[in-house]
Amino acid sequence: MTLASEAVWTTEDVKLCGATLRLRKGGAGDPLLLLHHDIGSLDHLPFYDALAKRFTVYLPSHPGYDGSERPTWLRSVRDVAVMYQGLLASLELGHVSLVGLGFGGWIAAEMATMAPHAFRRLVLVGAMGVKPAQGEILDQALVSYIGYVRAGFEDQSAFDRLYGADPSTPQLEQWDLNREMTFRIAWKPYMYNPTLPHLLGGVRSRALIVWGRGDKVVPLECGEEYARALPGSRLAVIEKAGHFVDMEQPEALAELISEFAAGS
Amino acid sequence: MHLMYFTEQPMSAYPVEAGREFGATALMFSNRHFDPVAGSRLYNEYLEHYKLAEEVGFDGIMLNEHHNAPFCMQAKCNVFASILAAMTKRVKLVLLGNPLPLADNPVRLAEELAMIDMVSRGRLVSGFVRGGGQEQLATGVNPAFNRERFEEAHELIIRAWTQPGPFRWEGTHYQHRVVNPWALPLQKPHPRVWIPGVLSKETIIWAARQRYPYIALSTAIDATKKIWELYDSVAAEAGYTSGPENRGYLQRCHVAETEEKALANARQFMWMQGEFTGLAHPVWSTPSGYFSPSYRKAFVEFAVGRGANPRAAAFEDQIRDQQIIAGTPKTVIPKIRRLLEETRPSIMGFWTSDGFVSNADATSCIRLLGQEVLPVVREMGKELGLWSPFEANAPVSIKEAKGPAPAAA
């Protein structure tokens, strides 16, 4: 990716439910709300720039993650989903496409159940939120910060390229802060909502489920469950990618989303 | 002085090699290595040690609990406290303590403790702890709300003991339709509460604000002095003068007939490689949200092997700093005197043996301490004015100090 193709990104503070959230915005085109992973997000990623060529991308830091203030009262992922409904209202955005990555995919799925017709497109990538029937969602409470993030990459050189082979202490502290916030809202049951599969049946937004073939964080069977539960949805499996499809196959994922969004 | 006997109740009867190979034995080391036959023998040996401790003159028996770990066989200190309530006649039963955040129903704890106090005829000291990092994972309790749960459960238990029911409790972490336990402590206004700790400043500050004695767990003398500086300054802010009656210390101290034997047995205090609460995996012992933000950098660096364990120290350093004392009665007494003179605690716990120390040596150590060391320490306490909360008739809490004078326990 060359510098010339990179979008201009701006950062602003948005006040929501008493907390100040950090909102990144970039690109041009139809509005797209992008929800990041539980580990938080780097400011710049090729995937974001690739999406920004086709969409106006809104990328908030989840409440309590990265630069966003922690609402001490927040207790569930559904609470976050409601906050983001408020964010869309305050930005006066309607009929946006909603893309959720991993943990952000869970938030997106909850948002879709709250407003069945509201989203132009719904894309869930390696989404947490439903309980696997056979396997388990990898429990970050039992693995190190670095071990957990590395587990999300099929190709470890991609991790090294993005975070450095030995990530900095400030990065570790940020992962710890984000992990603490994840515990505050998703400790038990860990990383799923038992009522979600039932509620997904009411969603009327067109949905695409995307999974990395090598996802060792959320089992592929969860993608199949989402595809069963979301009416009219389909599952696309991306090769040579683990949980962080966005960081391992940014161009392929952006292309898939753009094509899905372009369809009628 | 109040002199207590303590053992971690080590479960040393498992294949050592398997433990070493696995590494961190706290939390995930498989319990297929747990041998209930050996467990039964050890529990009963420990009960004999407690009986002996009362016979030879200790004033109290200190109990604690941990989960999923060979370094401590007590999974519930209230169970041993219940047994000892009936089995012993004189010693205080000092629980240091019940891990409050692990309780989903603190009223149940209030009931259990009241029962122990009544059965023991008013000998309960009810300490409370936050529980170690692994404990949160072993019991599925959210580490991010550990301190909030600790404080709320404490408030609820004290209310259950002191405010006639029924009343309703609508808290942040606990909600109860009807709080009205038909089991109340014998001691009035309520059993004494002592708070043990090793690292968290927040806990020292909290204990000082409540006017609860703080029990420093085997900290080095210089670190212990800093604890008392902080405690005393918080006490002054809270409007009272703290003294020895607010200060406790847990001393690892092994006594034997010879120096060599004492030192060899004292090395067993390192059987978890110096880790105070068992051989911990750095990630499991420090789950996110469990420690205060001021330790975040130190613990994330520890968790990835970039920094030293903020809690562990080498055996030689611990001997030098007197965190571990070992010797004959004659040689340990001056060391204990130094500790008393420099840090002035009135509550002294003696953690006498650990790891693979034989039953015979562990028993002999208790006997030697009781017969040859405790009488001397008691005299030192009088000479230095180290009056325990019982001797000083100190108020059980800041709240009670402000109210009517407490009745003698």
Side-chain angles (χ1 to χ4, degrees), chain A residues 22 36-43 60-69 171 174-175 177-178:
Chain A
R22 182 172 183 269
H36 63 72
H37 292 282
D38 53 355
I39 60 167
S41 176
L42 297 168
D43 268 356
S61 294
H62 303 330
Y65 292 73
D66 293 340
S68 287
E69 192 181 347
Q171 176 66 72
Q174 192 58 59
W175 280 337
L177 261 166
N178 293 345

mmCIF file with all atom_site columns, all heavy atoms in Angstrom, chain A residues 22 36-43 60-69 171 174-175 177-178:
data_model
loop_
_atom_site.group_PDB
_atom_site.id
_atom_site.type_symbol
_atom_site.label_atom_id
_atom_site.label_alt_id
_atom_site.label_comp_id
_atom_site.label_asym_id
_atom_site.label_entity_id
_atom_site.label_seq_id
_atom_site.pdbx_PDB_ins_code
_atom_site.Cartn_x
_atom_site.Cartn_y
_atom_site.Cartn_z
_atom_site.occupancy
_atom_site.B_iso_or_equiv
_atom_site.pdbx_formal_charge
_atom_site.auth_seq_id
_atom_site.auth_comp_id
_atom_site.auth_asym_id
_atom_site.auth_atom_id
_atom_site.pdbx_PDB_model_num
ATOM 1   N N   . ARG A 1 22  ? -13.610 8.205   22.050 1.00 0.00 ? 22  ARG A N   1
ATOM 2   C CA  . ARG A 1 22  ? -12.701 8.611   20.987 1.00 0.00 ? 22  ARG A CA  1
ATOM 3   C C   . ARG A 1 22  ? -13.232 8.032   19.679 1.00 0.00 ? 22  ARG A C   1
ATOM 4   O O   . ARG A 1 22  ? -13.480 6.820   19.585 1.00 0.00 ? 22  ARG A O   1
ATOM 5   C CB  . ARG A 1 22  ? -11.319 8.055   21.302 1.00 0.00 ? 22  ARG A CB  1
ATOM 6   C CG  . ARG A 1 22  ? -10.230 8.402   20.336 1.00 0.00 ? 22  ARG A CG  1
ATOM 7   C CD  . ARG A 1 22  ? -8.917  7.914   20.946 1.00 0.00 ? 22  ARG A CD  1
ATOM 8   N NE  . ARG A 1 22  ? -7.777  8.262   20.137 1.00 0.00 ? 22  ARG A NE  1
ATOM 9   C CZ  . ARG A 1 22  ? -7.282  7.464   19.180 1.00 0.00 ? 22  ARG A CZ  1
ATOM 10  N NH1 . ARG A 1 22  ? -7.838  6.307   18.932 1.00 0.00 ? 22  ARG A NH1 1
ATOM 11  N NH2 . ARG A 1 22  ? -6.222  7.856   18.494 1.00 0.00 ? 22  ARG A NH2 1
ATOM 12  N N   . HIS A 1 36  ? -14.167 -2.547  16.709 1.00 0.00 ? 36  HIS A N   1
ATOM 13  C CA  . HIS A 1 36  ? -12.873 -3.234  16.808 1.00 0.00 ? 36  HIS A CA  1
ATOM 14  C C   . HIS A 1 36  ? -12.898 -4.427  17.770 1.00 0.00 ? 36  HIS A C   1
ATOM 15  O O   . HIS A 1 36  ? -13.873 -4.693  18.465 1.00 0.00 ? 36  HIS A O   1
ATOM 16  C CB  . HIS A 1 36  ? -11.776 -2.233  17.217 1.00 0.00 ? 36  HIS A CB  1
ATOM 17  C CG  . HIS A 1 36  ? -11.967 -1.614  18.575 1.00 0.00 ? 36  HIS A CG  1
ATOM 18  N ND1 . HIS A 1 36  ? -11.781 -2.303  19.737 1.00 0.00 ? 36  HIS A ND1 1
ATOM 19  C CD2 . HIS A 1 36  ? -12.314 -0.353  18.946 1.00 0.00 ? 36  HIS A CD2 1
ATOM 20  C CE1 . HIS A 1 36  ? -11.994 -1.505  20.772 1.00 0.00 ? 36  HIS A CE1 1
ATOM 21  N NE2 . HIS A 1 36  ? -12.334 -0.311  20.317 1.00 0.00 ? 36  HIS A NE2 1
ATOM 22  N N   . HIS A 1 37  ? -11.761 -5.100  17.823 1.00 0.00 ? 37  HIS A N   1
ATOM 23  C CA  . HIS A 1 37  ? -11.579 -6.303  18.658 1.00 0.00 ? 37  HIS A CA  1
ATOM 24  C C   . HIS A 1 37  ? -11.497 -5.964  20.151 1.00 0.00 ? 37  HIS A C   1
ATOM 25  O O   . HIS A 1 37  ? -11.312 -4.806  20.538 1.00 0.00 ? 37  HIS A O   1
ATOM 26  C CB  . HIS A 1 37  ? -10.277 -7.015  18.258 1.00 0.00 ? 37  HIS A CB  1
ATOM 27  C CG  . HIS A 1 37  ? -10.312 -7.632  16.904 1.00 0.00 ? 37  HIS A CG  1
ATOM 28  N ND1 . HIS A 1 37  ? -10.939 -8.821  16.646 1.00 0.00 ? 37  HIS A ND1 1
ATOM 29  C CD2 . HIS A 1 37  ? -9.771  -7.215  15.719 1.00 0.00 ? 37  HIS A CD2 1
ATOM 30  C CE1 . HIS A 1 37  ? -10.789 -9.130  15.356 1.00 0.00 ? 37  HIS A CE1 1
ATOM 31  N NE2 . HIS A 1 37  ? -10.086 -8.164  14.773 1.00 0.00 ? 37  HIS A NE2 1
ATOM 32  N N   . ASP A 1 38  ? -11.517 -7.013  20.977 1.00 0.00 ? 38  ASP A N   1
ATOM 33  C CA  . ASP A 1 38  ? -11.356 -6.830  22.427 1.00 0.00 ? 38  ASP A CA  1
ATOM 34  C C   . ASP A 1 38  ? -9.962  -6.349  22.800 1.00 0.00 ? 38  ASP A C   1
ATOM 35  O O   . ASP A 1 38  ? -9.781  -5.779  23.880 1.00 0.00 ? 38  ASP A O   1
ATOM 36  C CB  . ASP A 1 38  ? -11.675 -8.143  23.176 1.00 0.00 ? 38  ASP A CB  1
ATOM 37  C CG  . ASP A 1 38  ? -10.898 -9.339  22.651 1.00 0.00 ? 38  ASP A CG  1
ATOM 38  O OD1 . ASP A 1 38  ? -10.178 -9.190  21.645 1.00 0.00 ? 38  ASP A OD1 1
ATOM 39  O OD2 . ASP A 1 38  ? -11.018 -10.423 23.244 1.00 0.00 ? 38  ASP A OD2 1
ATOM 40  N N   . ILE A 1 39  ? -8.973  -6.572  21.953 1.00 0.00 ? 39  ILE A N   1
ATOM 41  C CA  . ILE A 1 39  ? -7.616  -6.113  22.288 1.00 0.00 ? 39  ILE A CA  1
ATOM 42  C C   . ILE A 1 39  ? -7.447  -4.627  21.995 1.00 0.00 ? 39  ILE A C   1
ATOM 43  O O   . ILE A 1 39  ? -6.376  -4.064  22.222 1.00 0.00 ? 39  ILE A O   1
ATOM 44  C CB  . ILE A 1 39  ? -6.536  -6.914  21.512 1.00 0.00 ? 39  ILE A CB  1
ATOM 45  C CG1 . ILE A 1 39  ? -6.732  -6.750  20.006 1.00 0.00 ? 39  ILE A CG1 1
ATOM 46  C CG2 . ILE A 1 39  ? -6.565  -8.374  21.935 1.00 0.00 ? 39  ILE A CG2 1
ATOM 47  C CD1 . ILE A 1 39  ? -5.539  -7.239  19.188 1.00 0.00 ? 39  ILE A CD1 1
ATOM 48  N N   . GLY A 1 40  ? -8.495  -3.977  21.505 1.00 0.00 ? 40  GLY A N   1
ATOM 49  C CA  . GLY A 1 40  ? -8.369  -2.590  21.070 1.00 0.00 ? 40  GLY A CA  1
ATOM 50  C C   . GLY A 1 40  ? -7.848  -2.560  19.644 1.00 0.00 ? 40  GLY A C   1
ATOM 51  O O   . GLY A 1 40  ? -7.931  -3.558  18.927 1.00 0.00 ? 40  GLY A O   1
ATOM 52  N N   . SER A 1 41  ? -7.313  -1.423  19.236 1.00 0.00 ? 41  SER A N   1
ATOM 53  C CA  . SER A 1 41  ? -6.859  -1.328  17.852 1.00 0.00 ? 41  SER A CA  1
ATOM 54  C C   . SER A 1 41  ? -5.697  -0.360  17.715 1.00 0.00 ? 41  SER A C   1
ATOM 55  O O   . SER A 1 41  ? -5.592  0.625   18.443 1.00 0.00 ? 41  SER A O   1
ATOM 56  C CB  . SER A 1 41  ? -7.998  -0.854  16.950 1.00 0.00 ? 41  SER A CB  1
ATOM 57  O OG  . SER A 1 41  ? -7.521  -0.689  15.628 1.00 0.00 ? 41  SER A OG  1
ATOM 58  N N   . LEU A 1 42  ? -4.826  -0.681  16.776 1.00 0.00 ? 42  LEU A N   1
ATOM 59  C CA  . LEU A 1 42  ? -3.820  0.299   16.361 1.00 0.00 ? 42  LEU A CA  1
ATOM 60  C C   . LEU A 1 42  ? -4.540  1.412   15.607 1.00 0.00 ? 42  LEU A C   1
ATOM 61  O O   . LEU A 1 42  ? -5.612  1.197   15.043 1.00 0.00 ? 42  LEU A O   1
ATOM 62  C CB  . LEU A 1 42  ? -2.778  -0.376  15.452 1.00 0.00 ? 42  LEU A CB  1
ATOM 63  C CG  . LEU A 1 42  ? -1.962  -1.493  16.122 1.00 0.00 ? 42  LEU A CG  1
ATOM 64  C CD1 . LEU A 1 42  ? -1.178  -2.273  15.072 1.00 0.00 ? 42  LEU A CD1 1
ATOM 65  C CD2 . LEU A 1 42  ? -1.023  -0.910  17.174 1.00 0.00 ? 42  LEU A CD2 1
ATOM 66  N N   . ASP A 1 43  ? -3.963  2.602   15.591 1.00 0.00 ? 43  ASP A N   1
ATOM 67  C CA  . ASP A 1 43  ? -4.606  3.723   14.902 1.00 0.00 ? 43  ASP A CA  1
ATOM 68  C C   . ASP A 1 43  ? -4.656  3.502   13.391 1.00 0.00 ? 43  ASP A C   1
ATOM 69  O O   . ASP A 1 43  ? -5.648  3.816   12.749 1.00 0.00 ? 43  ASP A O   1
ATOM 70  C CB  . ASP A 1 43  ? -3.856  5.026   15.212 1.00 0.00 ? 43  ASP A CB  1
ATOM 71  C CG  . ASP A 1 43  ? -4.466  5.728   16.430 1.00 0.00 ? 43  ASP A CG  1
ATOM 72  O OD1 . ASP A 1 43  ? -5.499  5.221   16.942 1.00 0.00 ? 43  ASP A OD1 1
ATOM 73  O OD2 . ASP A 1 43  ? -3.923  6.753   16.860 1.00 0.00 ? 43  ASP A OD2 1
ATOM 74  N N   . PRO A 1 60  ? -15.146 4.021   16.315 1.00 0.00 ? 60  PRO A N   1
ATOM 75  C CA  . PRO A 1 60  ? -15.040 4.451   17.715 1.00 0.00 ? 60  PRO A CA  1
ATOM 76  C C   . PRO A 1 60  ? -14.169 3.484   18.517 1.00 0.00 ? 60  PRO A C   1
ATOM 77  O O   . PRO A 1 60  ? -14.106 2.302   18.198 1.00 0.00 ? 60  PRO A O   1
ATOM 78  C CB  . PRO A 1 60  ? -16.489 4.379   18.211 1.00 0.00 ? 60  PRO A CB  1
ATOM 79  C CG  . PRO A 1 60  ? -17.138 3.333   17.354 1.00 0.00 ? 60  PRO A CG  1
ATOM 80  C CD  . PRO A 1 60  ? -16.417 3.323   16.023 1.00 0.00 ? 60  PRO A CD  1
ATOM 81  N N   . SER A 1 61  ? -13.480 4.004   19.537 1.00 0.00 ? 61  SER A N   1
ATOM 82  C CA  . SER A 1 61  ? -12.871 3.121   20.538 1.00 0.00 ? 61  SER A CA  1
ATOM 83  C C   . SER A 1 61  ? -13.970 2.789   21.533 1.00 0.00 ? 61  SER A C   1
ATOM 84  O O   . SER A 1 61  ? -14.644 3.694   22.051 1.00 0.00 ? 61  SER A O   1
ATOM 85  C CB  . SER A 1 61  ? -11.719 3.823   21.258 1.00 0.00 ? 61  SER A CB  1
ATOM 86  O OG  . SER A 1 61  ? -10.671 4.074   20.351 1.00 0.00 ? 61  SER A OG  1
ATOM 87  N N   . HIS A 1 62  ? -14.152 1.505   21.795 1.00 0.00 ? 62  HIS A N   1
ATOM 88  C CA  . HIS A 1 62  ? -15.231 1.096   22.708 1.00 0.00 ? 62  HIS A CA  1
ATOM 89  C C   . HIS A 1 62  ? -15.060 1.799   24.058 1.00 0.00 ? 62  HIS A C   1
ATOM 90  O O   . HIS A 1 62  ? -13.931 2.058   24.495 1.00 0.00 ? 62  HIS A O   1
ATOM 91  C CB  . HIS A 1 62  ? -15.212 -0.421  22.949 1.00 0.00 ? 62  HIS A CB  1
ATOM 92  C CG  . HIS A 1 62  ? -15.315 -1.248  21.706 1.00 0.00 ? 62  HIS A CG  1
ATOM 93  N ND1 . HIS A 1 62  ? -15.985 -0.835  20.577 1.00 0.00 ? 62  HIS A ND1 1
ATOM 94  C CD2 . HIS A 1 62  ? -14.838 -2.495  21.428 1.00 0.00 ? 62  HIS A CD2 1
ATOM 95  C CE1 . HIS A 1 62  ? -15.901 -1.784  19.657 1.00 0.00 ? 62  HIS A CE1 1
ATOM 96  N NE2 . HIS A 1 62  ? -15.210 -2.795  20.143 1.00 0.00 ? 62  HIS A NE2 1
ATOM 97  N N   . PRO A 1 63  ? -16.197 2.067   24.715 1.00 0.00 ? 63  PRO A N   1
ATOM 98  C CA  . PRO A 1 63  ? -16.095 2.691   26.043 1.00 0.00 ? 63  PRO A CA  1
ATOM 99  C C   . PRO A 1 63  ? -15.192 1.878   26.968 1.00 0.00 ? 63  PRO A C   1
ATOM 100 O O   . PRO A 1 63  ? -15.394 0.674   27.131 1.00 0.00 ? 63  PRO A O   1
ATOM 101 C CB  . PRO A 1 63  ? -17.549 2.703   26.540 1.00 0.00 ? 63  PRO A CB  1
ATOM 102 C CG  . PRO A 1 63  ? -18.325 1.818   25.604 1.00 0.00 ? 63  PRO A CG  1
ATOM 103 C CD  . PRO A 1 63  ? -17.582 1.811   24.313 1.00 0.00 ? 63  PRO A CD  1
ATOM 104 N N   . GLY A 1 64  ? -14.167 2.535   27.519 1.00 0.00 ? 64  GLY A N   1
ATOM 105 C CA  . GLY A 1 64  ? -13.232 1.852   28.409 1.00 0.00 ? 64  GLY A CA  1
ATOM 106 C C   . GLY A 1 64  ? -12.034 1.247   27.690 1.00 0.00 ? 64  GLY A C   1
ATOM 107 O O   . GLY A 1 64  ? -11.159 0.679   28.329 1.00 0.00 ? 64  GLY A O   1
ATOM 108 N N   . TYR A 1 65  ? -12.002 1.360   26.368 1.00 0.00 ? 65  TYR A N   1
ATOM 109 C CA  . TYR A 1 65  ? -10.892 0.798   25.582 1.00 0.00 ? 65  TYR A CA  1
ATOM 110 C C   . TYR A 1 65  ? -10.100 1.935   24.943 1.00 0.00 ? 65  TYR A C   1
ATOM 111 O O   . TYR A 1 65  ? -10.652 2.975   24.590 1.00 0.00 ? 65  TYR A O   1
ATOM 112 C CB  . TYR A 1 65  ? -11.410 -0.113  24.465 1.00 0.00 ? 65  TYR A CB  1
ATOM 113 C CG  . TYR A 1 65  ? -12.046 -1.397  24.944 1.00 0.00 ? 65  TYR A CG  1
ATOM 114 C CD1 . TYR A 1 65  ? -13.299 -1.390  25.557 1.00 0.00 ? 65  TYR A CD1 1
ATOM 115 C CD2 . TYR A 1 65  ? -11.396 -2.619  24.788 1.00 0.00 ? 65  TYR A CD2 1
ATOM 116 C CE1 . TYR A 1 65  ? -13.883 -2.565  25.996 1.00 0.00 ? 65  TYR A CE1 1
ATOM 117 C CE2 . TYR A 1 65  ? -11.990 -3.805  25.215 1.00 0.00 ? 65  TYR A CE2 1
ATOM 118 C CZ  . TYR A 1 65  ? -13.223 -3.771  25.817 1.00 0.00 ? 65  TYR A CZ  1
ATOM 119 O OH  . TYR A 1 65  ? -13.803 -4.934  26.247 1.00 0.00 ? 65  TYR A OH  1
ATOM 120 N N   . ASP A 1 66  ? -8.807  1.666   24.772 1.00 0.00 ? 66  ASP A N   1
ATOM 121 C CA  . ASP A 1 66  ? -7.915  2.620   24.117 1.00 0.00 ? 66  ASP A CA  1
ATOM 122 C C   . ASP A 1 66  ? -8.150  4.021   24.694 1.00 0.00 ? 66  ASP A C   1
ATOM 123 O O   . ASP A 1 66  ? -8.105  4.184   25.891 1.00 0.00 ? 66  ASP A O   1
ATOM 124 C CB  . ASP A 1 66  ? -8.076  2.538   22.597 1.00 0.00 ? 66  ASP A CB  1
ATOM 125 C CG  . ASP A 1 66  ? -7.578  1.183   22.053 1.00 0.00 ? 66  ASP A CG  1
ATOM 126 O OD1 . ASP A 1 66  ? -6.805  0.518   22.765 1.00 0.00 ? 66  ASP A OD1 1
ATOM 127 O OD2 . ASP A 1 66  ? -7.970  0.804   20.934 1.00 0.00 ? 66  ASP A OD2 1
ATOM 128 N N   . GLY A 1 67  ? -8.466  4.989   23.849 1.00 0.00 ? 67  GLY A N   1
ATOM 129 C CA  . GLY A 1 67  ? -8.579  6.356   24.373 1.00 0.00 ? 67  GLY A CA  1
ATOM 130 C C   . GLY A 1 67  ? -9.947  6.732   24.917 1.00 0.00 ? 67  GLY A C   1
ATOM 131 O O   . GLY A 1 67  ? -10.162 7.876   25.306 1.00 0.00 ? 67  GLY A O   1
ATOM 132 N N   . SER A 1 68  ? -10.897 5.793   24.939 1.00 0.00 ? 68  SER A N   1
ATOM 133 C CA  . SER A 1 68  ? -12.249 6.143   25.400 1.00 0.00 ? 68  SER A CA  1
ATOM 134 C C   . SER A 1 68  ? -12.391 5.953   26.906 1.00 0.00 ? 68  SER A C   1
ATOM 135 O O   . SER A 1 68  ? -11.876 4.995   27.469 1.00 0.00 ? 68  SER A O   1
ATOM 136 C CB  . SER A 1 68  ? -13.306 5.281   24.684 1.00 0.00 ? 68  SER A CB  1
ATOM 137 O OG  . SER A 1 68  ? -13.458 5.696   23.352 1.00 0.00 ? 68  SER A OG  1
ATOM 138 N N   . GLU A 1 69  ? -13.121 6.876   27.500 1.00 0.00 ? 69  GLU A N   1
ATOM 139 C CA  . GLU A 1 69  ? -13.310 6.863   28.949 1.00 0.00 ? 69  GLU A CA  1
ATOM 140 C C   . GLU A 1 69  ? -14.092 5.616   29.393 1.00 0.00 ? 69  GLU A C   1
ATOM 141 O O   . GLU A 1 69  ? -14.967 5.140   28.670 1.00 0.00 ? 69  GLU A O   1
ATOM 142 C CB  . GLU A 1 69  ? -14.102 8.125   29.318 1.00 0.00 ? 69  GLU A CB  1
ATOM 143 C CG  . GLU A 1 69  ? -14.161 8.441   30.788 1.00 0.00 ? 69  GLU A CG  1
ATOM 144 C CD  . GLU A 1 69  ? -14.996 9.701   31.042 1.00 0.00 ? 69  GLU A CD  1
ATOM 145 O OE1 . GLU A 1 69  ? -15.299 10.435  30.073 1.00 0.00 ? 69  GLU A OE1 1
ATOM 146 O OE2 . GLU A 1 69  ? -15.347 9.931   32.201 1.00 0.00 ? 69  GLU A OE2 1
ATOM 147 N N   . GLN A 1 171 ? 2.307   -0.735  25.097 1.00 0.00 ? 171 GLN A N   1
ATOM 148 C CA  . GLN A 1 171 ? 1.325   -1.572  24.397 1.00 0.00 ? 171 GLN A CA  1
ATOM 149 C C   . GLN A 1 171 ? 0.745   -2.626  25.345 1.00 0.00 ? 171 GLN A C   1
ATOM 150 O O   . GLN A 1 171 ? -0.452  -2.880  25.354 1.00 0.00 ? 171 GLN A O   1
ATOM 151 C CB  . GLN A 1 171 ? 1.984   -2.252  23.191 1.00 0.00 ? 171 GLN A CB  1
ATOM 152 C CG  . GLN A 1 171 ? 1.064   -3.219  22.460 1.00 0.00 ? 171 GLN A CG  1
ATOM 153 C CD  . GLN A 1 171 ? -0.122  -2.545  21.787 1.00 0.00 ? 171 GLN A CD  1
ATOM 154 O OE1 . GLN A 1 171 ? 0.024   -1.859  20.776 1.00 0.00 ? 171 GLN A OE1 1
ATOM 155 N NE2 . GLN A 1 171 ? -1.316  -2.702  22.364 1.00 0.00 ? 171 GLN A NE2 1
ATOM 156 N N   . GLN A 1 174 ? -1.702  -1.086  27.620 1.00 0.00 ? 174 GLN A N   1
ATOM 157 C CA  . GLN A 1 174 ? -2.968  -0.829  26.934 1.00 0.00 ? 174 GLN A CA  1
ATOM 158 C C   . GLN A 1 174 ? -3.782  -2.118  26.812 1.00 0.00 ? 174 GLN A C   1
ATOM 159 O O   . GLN A 1 174 ? -4.989  -2.126  27.038 1.00 0.00 ? 174 GLN A O   1
ATOM 160 C CB  . GLN A 1 174 ? -2.711  -0.218  25.558 1.00 0.00 ? 174 GLN A CB  1
ATOM 161 C CG  . GLN A 1 174 ? -3.964  0.344   24.906 1.00 0.00 ? 174 GLN A CG  1
ATOM 162 C CD  . GLN A 1 174 ? -4.643  1.420   25.761 1.00 0.00 ? 174 GLN A CD  1
ATOM 163 O OE1 . GLN A 1 174 ? -4.028  2.431   26.084 1.00 0.00 ? 174 GLN A OE1 1
ATOM 164 N NE2 . GLN A 1 174 ? -5.884  1.187   26.152 1.00 0.00 ? 174 GLN A NE2 1
ATOM 165 N N   . TRP A 1 175 ? -3.097  -3.210  26.492 1.00 0.00 ? 175 TRP A N   1
ATOM 166 C CA  . TRP A 1 175 ? -3.802  -4.496  26.416 1.00 0.00 ? 175 TRP A CA  1
ATOM 167 C C   . TRP A 1 175 ? -4.376  -4.873  27.782 1.00 0.00 ? 175 TRP A C   1
ATOM 168 O O   . TRP A 1 175 ? -5.454  -5.453  27.877 1.00 0.00 ? 175 TRP A O   1
ATOM 169 C CB  . TRP A 1 175 ? -2.851  -5.599  25.911 1.00 0.00 ? 175 TRP A CB  1
ATOM 170 C CG  . TRP A 1 175 ? -2.660  -5.588  24.419 1.00 0.00 ? 175 TRP A CG  1
ATOM 171 C CD1 . TRP A 1 175 ? -3.517  -5.063  23.496 1.00 0.00 ? 175 TRP A CD1 1
ATOM 172 C CD2 . TRP A 1 175 ? -1.549  -6.119  23.681 1.00 0.00 ? 175 TRP A CD2 1
ATOM 173 N NE1 . TRP A 1 175 ? -3.006  -5.237  22.222 1.00 0.00 ? 175 TRP A NE1 1
ATOM 174 C CE2 . TRP A 1 175 ? -1.810  -5.890  22.308 1.00 0.00 ? 175 TRP A CE2 1
ATOM 175 C CE3 . TRP A 1 175 ? -0.379  -6.776  24.026 1.00 0.00 ? 175 TRP A CE3 1
ATOM 176 C CZ2 . TRP A 1 175 ? -0.927  -6.294  21.295 1.00 0.00 ? 175 TRP A CZ2 1
ATOM 177 C CZ3 . TRP A 1 175 ? 0.490   -7.180  23.024 1.00 0.00 ? 175 TRP A CZ3 1
ATOM 178 C CH2 . TRP A 1 175 ? 0.219   -6.933  21.671 1.00 0.00 ? 175 TRP A CH2 1
ATOM 179 N N   . LEU A 1 177 ? -5.332  -2.759  30.175 1.00 0.00 ? 177 LEU A N   1
ATOM 180 C CA  . LEU A 1 177 ? -6.497  -1.884  30.400 1.00 0.00 ? 177 LEU A CA  1
ATOM 181 C C   . LEU A 1 177 ? -7.711  -2.397  29.622 1.00 0.00 ? 177 LEU A C   1
ATOM 182 O O   . LEU A 1 177 ? -8.824  -2.458  30.151 1.00 0.00 ? 177 LEU A O   1
ATOM 183 C CB  . LEU A 1 177 ? -6.167  -0.469  29.920 1.00 0.00 ? 177 LEU A CB  1
ATOM 184 C CG  . LEU A 1 177 ? -5.751  0.542   30.962 1.00 0.00 ? 177 LEU A CG  1
ATOM 185 C CD1 . LEU A 1 177 ? -5.147  1.768   30.278 1.00 0.00 ? 177 LEU A CD1 1
ATOM 186 C CD2 . LEU A 1 177 ? -6.946  0.958   31.815 1.00 0.00 ? 177 LEU A CD2 1
ATOM 187 N N   . ASN A 1 178 ? -7.473  -2.763  28.360 1.00 0.00 ? 178 ASN A N   1
ATOM 188 C CA  . ASN A 1 178 ? -8.577  -3.240  27.528 1.00 0.00 ? 178 ASN A CA  1
ATOM 189 C C   . ASN A 1 178 ? -9.120  -4.570  28.053 1.00 0.00 ? 178 ASN A C   1
ATOM 190 O O   . ASN A 1 178 ? -10.321 -4.815  28.062 1.00 0.00 ? 178 ASN A O   1
ATOM 191 C CB  . ASN A 1 178 ? -8.113  -3.394  26.078 1.00 0.00 ? 178 ASN A CB  1
ATOM 192 C CG  . ASN A 1 178 ? -7.788  -2.051  25.436 1.00 0.00 ? 178 ASN A CG  1
ATOM 193 O OD1 . ASN A 1 178 ? -8.152  -0.994  25.958 1.00 0.00 ? 178 ASN A OD1 1
ATOM 194 N ND2 . ASN A 1 178 ? -7.082  -2.073  24.325 1.00 0.00 ? 178 ASN A ND2 1
#
